[in-house]
Amino acid sequence: MKLNEDSLTPLYQQLMEDIKCAIEEEKYKYEDKIPSEPELSELYSVSRITVRRAVDELCTEGYLIKKQGKGTYVGHPKLQRKIERADDAMSFSDVCRANGMKHSVRVTAVQHVPARQDEIKFLDLAPGAKLLYIQRVHYADGEPIQIENNFYPLERFRFLEKEDLEHGSLFHLLYDQYGINPFGTLKTTLEIVRASAQHASLLDVPVGEPLFYMNAYFVDENSAPLFVGRQYIAGGRYVFHI
């Protein structure tokens, strides 16, 4: 295998993409040991420095994991999630199912909290209104991936306090049991933030680790407001695609 030395793309990036493709095509599977740096250097006819940089970058992105004294291994598979259209909300359990992973969830907070200004405006609430705040941590194949922070109008969604929220999809529960359809979002933003001590503890990542922060305003099939979601997603374990 030879990389294109005439390309404008640096050799280490070409090597990264080739290893990524091998992982995605399952030539290298989860927990497989990849060839050593000398072997990769010989295989691709590039310097050890080029190989080391490519491997280090792939470790930073979570595709590979170095094990002291043992070598470099393929990291845990990343969840693949399509960037949603406004009318295409997808639950985390559905994302897991689409990726062939087992979903589980843990409730970490159920509280009554004051509505913030954007929530009052979106949900058409009176000043001083209270919300039902539910925080859950979602897992894929036992790995913590997402901290879900949802804020519901208290009077309408008080029934959720009595529901078992640690089994199955909350979206499916709302629709199947109560006829409430989280059909889509009025607005969704996605940005990169650093993990606080609390986020790091819940997601089992270092403090300061890059996380996706998704802020979404959910509506039903008639575009009526339902709730606000503020989710933190482990950046090294998730891929969004269009």
Side-chain angles (χ1 to χ4, degrees):
M1 286 179 275
K2 190 168 178 63
L3 303 178
N4 183 2
E5 295 183 358
D6 298 323
S7 171
L8 295 176
T9 303
L11 291 176
Y12 83 90
Q13 289 186 359
Q14 294 183 47
L15 179 53
M16 285 176 63
E17 290 305 315
D18 200 77
I19 294 174
K20 281 184 184 178
C21 286
I23 293 172
E24 290 168 359
E25 293 172 0
E26 296 190 335
K27 293 177 182 176
Y28 300 137
K29 297 182 180 180
Y30 173 47
E31 292 189 330
D32 278 356
K33 184 179 179 181
I34 70 166
S36 66
E37 288 185 5
E39 290 170 334
L40 287 172
S41 178
E42 182 177 350
L43 186 62
Y44 286 93
S45 300
V46 293
S47 70
R48 292 275 297 274
I49 294 174
T50 297
V51 171
R52 187 171 297 116
R53 181 169 183 185
V55 170
D56 286 347
E57 292 281 348
L58 288 169
C59 287
T60 299
E61 293 182 8
Y63 286 92
L64 299 177
I65 298 172
K66 287 186 177 180
K67 297 183 179 180
Q68 188 68 34
K70 295 183 178 180
T72 304
Y73 294 77
V74 177
H76 200 282
K78 295 192 177 197
L79 278 171
Q80 303 282 330
R81 179 165 181 173
K82 190 177 186 299
I83 296 294
E84 298 167 354
R85 305 189 309 272
D87 61 347
D88 188 24
M90 194 173 191
S91 71
F92 191 91
S93 63
D94 288 337
V95 173
C96 287
R97 190 175 299 107
N99 283 267
M101 294 180 174
K102 182 180 178 182
H103 170 252
S104 56
V105 62
R106 177 168 65 96
V107 176
T108 48
V110 178
Q111 300 171 355
H112 298 177
V113 298
R116 287 170 278 195
Q117 196 58 44
D118 67 317
E119 295 160 347
I120 289 173
K121 182 177 180 180
F122 170 66
L123 297 169
D124 194 24
L125 301 173
K130 290 292 186 71
L131 301 176
L132 176 62
Y133 164 53
I134 299 176
Q135 181 184 79
R136 305 192 301 167
V137 179
H138 290 272
Y139 299 77
D141 285 349
E143 288 272 334
I145 305 291
Q146 175 176 300
I147 304 170
E148 173 190 273
N149 299 287
N150 285 350
F151 299 83
Y152 305 88
L154 177 59
E155 296 309 316
R156 182 179 181 188
F157 287 90
R158 190 185 291 271
F159 61 84
L160 287 175
E161 294 179 288
K162 299 179 181 179
E163 290 289 348
D164 178 3
L165 302 177
E166 294 196 338
H167 295 87
S169 164
L170 197 149
F171 279 20
H172 294 170
L173 169 70
L174 289 174
Y175 184 72
D176 295 339
Q177 300 296 323
Y178 298 96
I180 298 172
N181 183 13
F183 180 74
T185 57
L186 182 68
K187 182 178 77 170
T188 301
T189 59
L190 186 67
E191 60 183 299
I192 300 296
V193 299
R194 296 286 179 180
S196 67
Q198 181 196 30
H199 299 146
S201 175
L202 291 173
L203 291 174
D204 193 22
V205 298
V207 173
E209 179 87 357
L211 305 177
F212 290 114
Y213 172 57
M214 179 184 289
N215 198 25
Y217 298 81
F218 288 89
V219 296
D220 65 17
E221 68 275 19
N222 298 313
S223 297
L226 291 177
F227 59 91
V228 177
R230 306 184 194 276
Q231 328 302 9
Y232 292 88
I233 304 166
R237 302 170 187 161
Y238 217 98
V239 175
F240 287 92
H241 63 92
I242 298 175

